[in-house]
Amino acid sequence: MSATSATVGVLLAVGVAIELACCVGVLVMEDAYDKLHYLGPAAIVGPLFIAVAVVVRESLGPAGIKSLLTAALLAVASPVLSHATARALYIRRRDHVEDPARRLT
């Protein structure tokens, strides 16, 4: 076994372990807000390890570049989607949107 294969194996194992741990966290948590916290590492850290494993194996060829771009897209889009989901849940639970100007008076 070469050093490259071992490195790829370790990176993939860490990435998959992060994904599985986050899935277990989502299953165990009862509140939707708590579940959102487990989606962050699953959408950012896990794919990053997997993308780096692809780059180590394939170098910066088409597959490596695509994996890094996919990981970057997930890293940018995940916080936005989590925030939008939390805001939608907040509005749904309160059945209205609060007017920020009304809070100041």
Side-chain angles (χ1 to χ4, degrees):
M1 178 182 260
S2 68
T4 303
S5 296
T7 304
V8 169
V10 168
L11 288 169
L12 284 176
V14 170
V16 170
I18 289 170
E19 295 296 324
L20 289 175
C22 290
C23 288
V24 170
V26 168
L27 288 174
V28 170
M29 291 295 121
E30 295 177 10
D31 188 28
Y33 290 116
D34 293 333
K35 290 181 181 193
L36 281 175
H37 288 288
Y38 285 93
L39 295 179
I44 297 173
V45 181
L48 181 64
F49 275 98
I50 295 169
V52 170
V54 171
V55 169
V56 168
R57 179 166 174 125
E58 302 292 329
S59 71
L60 283 177
I65 292 172
K66 287 178 188 176
S67 67
L68 289 177
L69 288 174
T70 302
L73 178 66
L74 285 170
V76 170
S78 176
V80 174
L81 292 173
S82 292
H83 178 76
T85 303
R87 180 157 170 76
L89 181 62
Y90 176 83
I91 291 169
R92 184 177 179 102
R93 285 188 178 176
R94 306 251 177 337
D95 201 31
H96 69 284
V97 178
E98 291 182 6
D99 183 16
R102 198 169 98 197
R103 282 189 286 163
L104 296 176
T105 58

